[in-house]
């Protein structure tokens, strides 16, 4: 099984519900998709406007997403709920949304459209399940949009390329004390590596037309010379030795400068070449390197920690413009150490890492808009892999990623995390009790906000990235229920819910589209318009079917969830 992705350091929820707009489909025998959601339509609002005419589709109507109100004589409050998240579990001085002085909002660059239509934020599953299957322990991943395993399985929605799965990656085996494929980039055989990579891509991504994520996980060295510290300094030493062997007249200082230059040129050729080949061979996959960009904001145990990336780190990330230009997606990591469990500094660490990824994604001038950001996280702590993240920790990782403006999150797991019956049983329980309800909550809230506030033409992004506004459904308006192996968000947003979203969020438009945030007047019109679509009869039918299913299905009941505000 694959090695861990990252050895470096890497809140309670509200009640909501959704209804699947499309049946579940499958990309391959090893890759499945959960049903896409449509947030249920808002309740009528008492907000009045001067116009009684229905708004035009282009300006005030909801997006093409189907909004269906579930109307029934059965009160919504009687639906069996699944626990959801709290608003801002960890208010901090740095992220206080009520601070009086705010910098003016900067215009956001256009971004590429969502991977799945009308799904501005998606969460994918990339956790091994071989041992759990062996024990006949089912893992309910119905809340996830894409499901894959890190194992060597071709044709998956998410293809993860470790060092032995893509080309001939030059690196040093520190344990075996061996230099593989030249050891350092400037001694690698680029042509042979690209030839093997072509065969690897053909094998692992079998379809030329399917869509998905392609993540290259090369962690042995970093393409910037100065970032190869600690155990990675071996690459500097070997590079200097190689330069001096090539030209024995060089001084150590001259050899070091020459080695730095040649190392970075070779690293760039190898990394950008792999991305270029991947894009050419499988253009519908989103290609990028895991852990890039990084913020190196590891000092959360220090007093006054703000989580912000240093000026030096940002400057170095700017030097990697060639990498951002070659990537069609960015995959930063926000794995948590146990020292950040239920800690407000976890949110600070995550939001600044995601914010830096969003910043560098907008540096290249590309016609398709800024590259999407998919944030890697884990359901367990890096240094305590039998301990699951709490709901508050999920808010600090998945919730932060969605609120700051990421396109999605990827939950990754190591084979060592789930290697016996007990760990598999714990994962199965965690999915149903905590993870699935929260993933459903955030996905639904992101869709609701996008459809109403951004007219379906963009995703909602915090007005001020360092605030405590989250994309969570109002527990007074929504419930999450589990019906026939699916998590559904049932309910209707109110005008107050939409106004709350508009206070904390603005819109980032998809390429070529206009998504100016709706004003309160326009939101009210969109609300009324959604009720004039002739869906009431359909809503009654859907609601009756849902309630009938609930009587037959086993509905998990847990009243420990606390209210969550938008």
């Amino acid at each position: 099984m694959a090695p861990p992705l990252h050895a470096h350091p890497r809140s309670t929820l509200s009640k909501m519900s959704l209804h699947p707009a499309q049946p579940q489909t499958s990309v391959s025998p090893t890759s499945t998709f959960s049903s896409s959601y449509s947030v249920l339509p808002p309740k009528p609002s008492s907000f009045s406007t001067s116009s009684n005419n229905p708004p035009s589709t282009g300006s005030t109507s909801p997006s093409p997403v189907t909004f269906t109100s579930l109307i029934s004589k059965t009160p919504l409050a009687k639906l069996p709920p699944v626990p959801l998240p709290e608003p801002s579990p960890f208010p901090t001085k740095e992220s206080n949304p009520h601070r009086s002085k705010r910098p003016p909002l900067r215009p956001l660059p256009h971004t590429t459209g969502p991977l799945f239509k009308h799904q501005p934020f998606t969460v994918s599953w990339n956790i091994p399940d071989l041992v759990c299957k062996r024990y006949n322990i089912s893992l309910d991943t119905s809340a996830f949009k894409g499901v894959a395993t890190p194992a060597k399985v071709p044709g998956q929605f998410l293809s993860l390329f470790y060092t032995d799965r893509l080309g001939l990656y030059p690196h040093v085996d520190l344990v075996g004390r061996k230099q593989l494929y030249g050891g350092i980039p400037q001694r690698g055989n680029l042509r042979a590596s690209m030839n093997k990579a072509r065969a690897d891509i053909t094998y692992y991504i079998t379809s030329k037309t399917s869509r998905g994520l392609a993540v290259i996980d090369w962690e042995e060295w970093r393409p910037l010379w100065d970032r190869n510290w600690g155990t990675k300094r071996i690459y500097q030493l070997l590079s200097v030795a190689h330069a001096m062997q090539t030209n024995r007249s060089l001084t150590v200082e001259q050899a070091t400068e020459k080695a730095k230059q040649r190392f970075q040129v070779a690293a760039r050729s190898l990394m950008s070449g792999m991305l270029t080949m991947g894009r050419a061979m499988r253009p519908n996959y989103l290609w990028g390197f895991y852990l890039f960009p990084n913020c190196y904001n590891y000092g959360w145990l220090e007093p006054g920690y703000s989580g912000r990336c240093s000026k030096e780190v940002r400057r170095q990330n700017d030097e990697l413009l060639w990498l951002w230009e070659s990537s069609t997606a960015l995959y930063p990591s926000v794995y948590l150490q146990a020292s950040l469990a239920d800690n407000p500094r976890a949110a600070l660490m995550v939001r600044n890492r995601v914010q830096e990824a969003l910043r560098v994604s907008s540096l290249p001038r590309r016609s398709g808009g800024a590259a999407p950001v998919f944030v890697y996280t884990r359901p367990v702590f890096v240094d305590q892999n039998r301990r699951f993240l709490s709901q508050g920790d999920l808010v600090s990782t998945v919730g932060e990623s969605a609120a700051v403006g990421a396109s999605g999150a990827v939950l990754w797991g190591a084979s060592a995390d789930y290697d016996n019956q007990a760990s598999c049983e714990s994962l199965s329980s965690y999915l149903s009790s905590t993870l699935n309800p929260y993933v459903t909550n955030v996905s639904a809230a992101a869709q609701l906000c996008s459809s109403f506030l951004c007219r379906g033409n963009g995703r909602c992004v915090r007005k001020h990235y360092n605030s405590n506004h989250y994309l969570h459904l109002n527990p007074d308006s929504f419930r999450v229920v589990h019906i026939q192996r699916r998590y559904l968000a049932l309910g209707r947003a109110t005008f107050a819910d939409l106004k709350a979203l508009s206070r904390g969020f603005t819109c980032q438009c998809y390429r070529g589209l206009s998504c100016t945030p709706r004003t309160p007047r326009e939101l009210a019109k969109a609300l009324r318009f959604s009720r004039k679509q002739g869906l009431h009869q359909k809503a009654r039918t859907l609601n009756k079917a849902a309630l009938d299913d609930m009587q037959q299905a086993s509905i998990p009941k847990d009243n420990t969830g606390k209210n969550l505000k938008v």
Side-chain angles (χ1 to χ4, degrees):
M1 192 63 71
L5 274 173
H6 195 6
H8 282 296
R10 303 285 183 239
S11 295
T12 337
L13 319 177
S14 81
K15 304 167 185 173
M16 60 160 212
S17 28
L18 262 183
H19 120 202
Q22 299 175 0
Q24 189 170 4
T25 59
S26 176
V27 170
S28 73
T30 58
S31 176
T32 61
F33 297 90
S34 63
S35 60
S36 71
Y37 301 113
S38 34
V39 179
L40 305 179
K43 297 175 182 177
S45 167
S46 58
F47 185 88
S48 61
T49 65
S50 57
S51 173
N52 293 322
N53 297 324
S56 64
T57 304
S59 60
T60 55
S61 63
S63 76
V65 181
T66 304
F67 285 82
T68 309
S69 175
L70 294 193
I71 305 170
S72 170
K73 296 180 180 179
T74 304
L76 185 62
K78 292 185 178 180
L79 296 178
V82 178
L84 303 179
E86 282 184 358
S88 125
F90 311 124
T92 64
K93 181 178 180 181
E94 294 85 357
S95 59
N96 183 356
H98 302 296
R99 291 172 65 185
S100 57
K101 294 183 179 180
R102 287 288 192 185
L105 293 179
R106 297 180 181 179
L108 297 172
H110 281 221
T111 185
T112 53
L115 188 59
F116 302 101
K117 194 173 183 180
H118 307 315
Q119 299 290 313
F121 184 81
T122 57
V123 184
S124 299
W125 177 268
N126 193 210
I127 292 178
D129 59 359
L130 185 62
V131 174
C132 298
K133 286 183 176 178
R134 188 180 303 152
Y135 286 103
N136 292 320
I137 297 173
S138 62
L139 302 177
D140 181 3
T141 57
S142 59
F144 295 84
K145 191 62 183 176
V147 176
T149 173
K152 289 185 175 182
V153 179
Q156 298 197 87
F157 161 77
L158 192 157
S159 289
L160 189 54
F161 293 97
Y162 291 120
T163 58
D164 61 340
R165 300 185 190 178
L166 187 67
L168 303 173
Y169 177 57
H171 65 283
V172 177
D173 178 0
L174 294 177
V175 177
R177 306 178 71 86
K178 297 179 181 178
Q179 297 183 43
L180 304 177
Y181 309 119
I184 52 178
Q186 56 269 48
R187 293 184 59 190
N189 187 328
L190 183 60
R191 176 175 295 181
S193 183
M194 298 299 283
N195 287 337
K196 180 178 181 296
R198 187 176 290 105
D200 292 334
I201 293 171
T202 301
Y203 174 78
Y204 284 108
I205 307 180
T206 54
S207 171
K208 295 182 179 181
T209 58
S210 61
R211 306 183 70 186
L213 307 179
V215 186
I216 304 174
D217 182 27
W218 290 356
E219 301 180 48
E220 274 59 35
W221 45 261
R222 302 183 182 111
L224 290 182
W225 176 269
D226 293 339
R227 285 185 172 176
N228 289 288
W229 59 73
T231 58
K232 291 178 173 54
R233 192 165 181 270
I234 185 65
Y235 294 97
Q236 294 181 347
L237 297 175
L238 290 174
S239 295
V240 172
H242 177 64
M244 296 188 75
Q245 290 171 1
T246 304
N247 186 347
R248 297 184 182 276
S249 66
L250 296 176
T251 66
V252 174
E253 291 76 13
Q254 291 172 332
T256 300
E257 185 58 34
K258 186 71 68 175
K260 175 180 178 179
Q261 179 184 5
R262 290 176 176 173
F263 175 89
Q264 293 190 157
V265 169
R268 172 176 177 171
S269 296
L270 182 60
M271 294 177 71
S272 63
M274 288 298 170
L275 292 173
T276 300
M277 174 175 287
R279 295 198 320 266
M281 293 183 63
R282 299 295 185 264
N284 292 330
Y285 270 68
L286 298 177
W287 289 84
F289 279 87
Y290 167 72
L291 275 182
F292 288 88
N294 205 335
C295 177
Y296 299 103
N297 55 351
Y298 295 115
W300 51 76
L301 297 180
E302 300 172 3
Y305 178 75
S306 69
R308 292 185 176 90
C309 312
S310 69
K311 290 182 179 179
E312 176 64 12
V313 164
R314 293 197 299 271
R315 182 195 64 76
Q316 290 177 334
N317 284 339
D318 289 345
E319 289 185 40
L320 291 172
L321 177 61
W322 57 267
L323 182 57
W324 320 136
E325 289 176 334
S326 300
S327 304
T328 47
L330 303 182
Y331 298 99
S333 169
V334 298
Y335 296 172
L336 294 186
Q337 288 189 344
S339 59
L340 284 174
D342 293 315
N343 188 326
R345 296 186 175 193
L348 298 178
M349 182 272 282
V350 172
R351 73 178 55 158
N352 283 281
R353 288 194 185 182
V354 179
Q355 183 69 13
E356 176 65 0
L358 293 167
R359 184 188 74 83
V360 303
S361 74
S362 65
L363 293 179
R365 297 181 178 179
R366 61 177 99 215
S367 59
V373 173
F374 294 89
V375 183
Y376 260 80
T377 185
R378 291 174 76 170
V380 295
F381 293 98
V382 175
D383 49 347
Q384 294 185 20
N385 69 344
R386 291 297 190 261
R387 180 180 175 185
F388 289 99
L389 304 189
S390 69
Q391 288 182 326
D393 298 323
L394 290 176
V395 172
S396 294
T397 51
V398 178
E400 278 290 333
S401 301
V404 175
S407 297
V410 177
L411 263 74
W412 179 86
S415 57
D417 296 345
Y418 316 104
D419 58 0
N420 57 36
Q421 183 174 353
S423 59
C424 286
E425 289 174 345
S426 296
L427 176 60
S428 179
S429 175
Y430 178 71
L431 275 164
S432 60
S433 67
T434 307
L435 188 55
N436 284 344
Y438 185 70
V439 168
T440 307
N441 186 338
V442 174
S443 302
Q447 186 186 14
L448 174 70
C449 189
S450 170
S451 297
F452 273 90
L453 187 64
C454 306
R455 310 164 194 268
N457 293 334
R459 67 171 45 88
C460 288
V461 178
R462 277 179 181 156
K463 288 182 177 179
H464 304 283
Y465 93 98
N466 218 19
S467 76
N468 275 349
H469 293 287
Y470 290 95
L471 289 169
H472 292 155
L473 294 176
N474 185 348
D476 295 329
S477 305
F478 292 91
R479 299 288 185 274
V480 164
V481 296
H482 191 203
I483 302 174
Q484 291 189 338
R485 301 180 183 179
R486 297 192 187 196
Y487 284 85
L488 314 177
L490 304 178
R492 297 174 296 176
T494 65
F495 178 64
D497 295 339
L498 301 183
K499 277 198 4 179
L501 288 171
S502 69
R503 283 194 296 269
F505 293 88
T506 186
C507 297
Q508 182 178 29
C509 301
Y510 302 137
R511 177 182 55 128
L513 300 177
S514 174
C515 68
T516 304
R518 282 189 170 110
T519 64
R521 183 182 297 272
E522 290 172 331
L523 285 172
K525 284 185 178 181
L527 258 172
R528 292 202 309 271
F529 183 76
S530 70
R531 294 182 56 81
K532 296 180 180 180
Q533 299 306 296
L535 299 176
H536 300 291
Q537 184 59 45
K538 180 180 179 181
R540 293 189 183 95
T541 302
L542 288 171
N543 190 60
K544 184 178 183 302
L547 293 176
D548 290 343
D549 288 341
M550 287 166 55
Q551 293 176 357
Q552 301 174 9
S554 175
I555 309 296
K557 299 181 181 181
D558 188 341
N559 297 321
T560 61
K562 299 180 181 179
N563 288 346
L564 169 147
K565 298 179 181 178
V566 180

